[in-house]
Amino acid sequence: MTTTTPPGTTTAEGAAMLRALELAARGVRGANPLVGAVLLAPDGAVLGEGYHRGAGTPHAEPAALADARAHGHDPRGTTLVVTLEPCNHTGRTGPCSEAVLAAGGGRVAYAADDVNGPAAGGAQPLEAAGVQCVRGLHAERSRRLNERWTRCLAEQRPFVTLKSAQSLDGRVAASDGSSRWITGDDARADGHRIRALADAVLVGTGTVLADDPRLTARPRSGEDTGPGPGSGPLRVVMGHTPVPADAAIRGEGFLRFITRDVTEVLGELHGRGVRHLLVEGGPRIASAFLRAGVVDEVFSYVAPVLLGDGAPAFPDLGVGTLADAPRWELDDAGGPAVVRLGPDVRLHLRPSSTAP
């Protein structure tokens, strides 16, 4: 991978950017870019660090400034090293450019320009106020970290996470249709954690009729985060079969799309402000999103159980020969790609960067 070191960049800033990239990878993929930041004293000593932990939480820059203050450091005259240009936008949080100015920072070294129109351009007010800005430090690494998020911006669609729980032989239900529970408590709790990070969670009408899910995000205590925007993910159903009037999924925050067209659903959800969609099934819905080529990551929970002639996790993919099979690779950018959860294993996968 090409490494870019702009003229005038110090060794300490280069090391801090590598650390900031490591921190950024810990963040939540999907609705926002992955961003990390490290605050340096004039002598290059690290004063604070932070990363963006998800929508509505402090951005990386204010998090690093807060970390420095918590350790008794004055941020005036410091250098902020950050993996993405500080934003210049007021959303759930204020502009990072203003936070840097308010802290009295003297220099900002960032990796890549922000390509998100409403948030871009934070370097301009910083430079206008006399803050020195250095661009391009490890820019390619930052772009690779956020390439799928960037593509979703360009395509005007949500980032799509696919979640599946299956047996060792790739089945999501036994031959009699029973499927509760293939995985154990730890895996299901982890699945609820992932669900809580999404803007919306989607299933097909077949899953609604078979399982009558609530699709709320519940911690181990079993208490719902609550339905509707702002308190939990939107609950989305797609398909032609009617949803029963007494279905558990109904209520505030429930959306239904009478279509099997994946592109149509993604466009409608994007128009409603959904930037991160979690697809939970059933199998035919999962396969439809995979066939459309819009799945950006997969969390696959595999249980050590064999079901034989049960329902396959991903039917009808249209793969006629091995050469045509879509390839996936382990994704450890945001943490371990393989995690043991009680008796089960979770795989975190991304589309392969190489051809089959």
Side-chain angles (χ1 to χ4, degrees), residues 299-323:
F299 285 102
S300 179
Y301 298 85
V302 181
V305 61
L306 297 171
L307 294 179
D309 294 330
F314 307 117
D316 303 325
L317 287 179
V319 177
T321 181
L322 183 61

Side-chain angles (χ1 to χ4, degrees), residues 9-337:
T9 303
T10 68
T11 301
E13 289 169 351
M17 185 62 79
L18 293 177
R19 172 58 177 166
L21 288 163
E22 178 184 329
L23 291 167
R26 299 179 183 178
V28 178
R29 293 183 181 275
N32 301 98
L34 300 176
V35 185
V38 175
L39 194 68
L40 298 178
D43 63 359
V46 174
L47 303 180
E49 56 184 35
Y51 64 96
H52 188 210
R53 298 171 183 262
T57 66
H59 287 191
E61 298 93 326
L65 290 166
D67 186 48
R69 294 187 181 103
H71 287 87
H73 301 303
D74 187 345
R76 287 178 294 182
T78 55
T79 295
L80 183 70
V81 178
V82 61
T83 60
L84 190 69
E85 178 185 18
C87 73
N88 194 37
H89 170 67
T90 299
R92 298 187 189 184
T93 60
C96 292
S97 56
E98 291 185 5
V100 174
L101 290 175
R107 177 177 166 94
V108 173
Y110 67 88
D113 291 324
D114 194 335
V115 297
N116 184 9
Q124 295 178 8
L126 289 172
E127 291 179 320
V131 176
Q132 184 181 17
C133 292
V134 180
R135 303 164 173 82
L137 180 58
H138 291 303
E140 182 60 22
R141 289 174 182 260
S142 177
R143 281 192 287 267
R144 281 292 305 276
L145 194 63
N146 287 302
E147 61 185 355
R148 284 173 286 162
W149 177 81
T150 302
R151 188 179 75 239
C152 292
L153 276 181
E155 295 178 1
Q156 294 289 287
R157 67 163 177 84
F159 181 97
V160 177
T161 298
L162 175 63
K163 180 165 75 72
S164 176
Q166 60 205 62
S167 65
L168 194 60
D169 52 349
R171 306 293 175 174
V172 296
S175 57
D176 66 354
S178 59
S179 60
R180 293 189 176 184
W181 297 100
I182 291 176
T183 55
D185 291 343
D186 291 341
R188 294 200 300 275
D190 189 72
H192 278 285
R193 179 189 63 81
I194 291 173
R195 184 185 288 177
L197 300 174
D199 296 325
V201 55
L202 179 146
V203 297
T205 51
T207 295
V208 173
L209 295 177
D211 298 337
D212 195 24
R214 286 181 289 173
L215 294 189
T216 50
R218 301 184 298 278
R220 281 189 180 273
S221 66
E223 181 182 352
D224 288 355
T225 57
S231 56
L234 293 172
R235 304 179 310 286
V236 183
V237 176
M238 65 179 289
H240 291 158
T241 305
V243 175
D246 60 349
I249 197 172
R250 286 188 177 274
E252 184 184 359
F254 166 69
L255 292 174
R256 184 187 173 206
F257 295 104
I258 308 174
T259 180
R260 296 191 181 100
D261 188 323
V262 168
T263 301
E264 178 184 344
V265 170
L266 289 178
E268 289 284 345
L269 288 174
H270 188 273
R272 291 172 177 265
V274 172
R275 297 297 179 263
H276 184 192
L277 174 66
L278 175 62
V279 176
E280 292 204 8
R284 295 192 183 280
I285 290 293
S287 293
F289 276 82
L290 288 167
R291 285 198 310 271
V294 295
V295 177
D296 298 294
E297 67 177 354
V298 171
F299 285 102
S300 179
Y301 298 85
V302 181
V305 61
L306 297 171
L307 294 179
D309 294 330
F314 307 117
D316 303 325
L317 287 179
V319 177
T321 181
L322 183 61
D324 295 333
R327 299 282 180 170
W328 294 76
E329 62 189 32
L330 293 173
D331 187 349
D332 58 3

